[in-house]
Amino acid sequence: MENKMLVVTTENIPGRKYEVIGEVFGVTTQSKNFASVFGAGLKSMVGGEIMAFTKMLTTSREVALDRLREEAGKLDADAVVMMRFDSGSIAGDMQSVVAYGTAVKFVD
């Protein structure tokens, strides 16, 4: 199921008027397996991009955004404005990502 709800990082949507419904969040926490973490430790000694963690963060952002859209849909929103991402690490090998914004309903 693909959710096509409009999500923007801006406060305004050109040509649209809306009323605010409320804040919405989408959260996920991901971790890598021991082999990936071990390999990342080795890679950090020589430098360069650690692809396993890059992929994990990319997936985390996609999951968080999907969950944000789901939460906005539950509120019967038409769009989400002022969307932002925030992230933080937990215990070194886990990453938590949250997508948050304001759910709105079009009035025009």
Side-chain angles (χ1 to χ4, degrees):
M1 179 175 113
E2 190 172 328
N3 189 332
K4 296 287 188 182
M5 180 177 295
L6 179 63
V7 176
V8 298
T9 59
T10 58
E11 181 178 356
N12 297 307
I13 301 170
R16 301 307 300 257
K17 293 183 181 181
Y18 56 79
E19 60 184 32
V20 171
I21 297 173
E23 60 188 26
V24 286
F25 298 87
V27 181
T28 185
T29 301
Q30 306 273 328
S31 70
K32 298 306 296 173
N33 62 41
F34 176 76
S36 293
V37 173
F38 181 75
L42 294 176
K43 179 71 172 182
S44 69
M45 289 188 233
V46 296
E49 183 175 10
I50 302 169
M51 292 302 293
F53 281 91
T54 299
K55 184 175 180 185
M56 180 180 73
L57 285 172
T58 299
T59 299
S60 295
R61 286 174 54 120
E62 291 169 358
V63 169
L65 195 51
D66 285 344
R67 290 180 180 169
L68 171 90
R69 285 184 167 113
E70 287 174 22
E71 289 301 309
K74 290 176 186 175
L75 298 176
D76 199 30
D78 293 316
V80 175
V81 297
M82 297 296 294
M83 191 282 296
R84 301 289 187 263
F85 285 108
D86 199 1
S87 65
S89 61
I90 303 169
D93 64 339
M94 291 181 272
Q95 189 73 24
S96 182
V97 174
V98 60
Y100 60 96
T102 303
V104 299
K105 184 81 173 163
F106 294 138
V107 295
D108 56 352

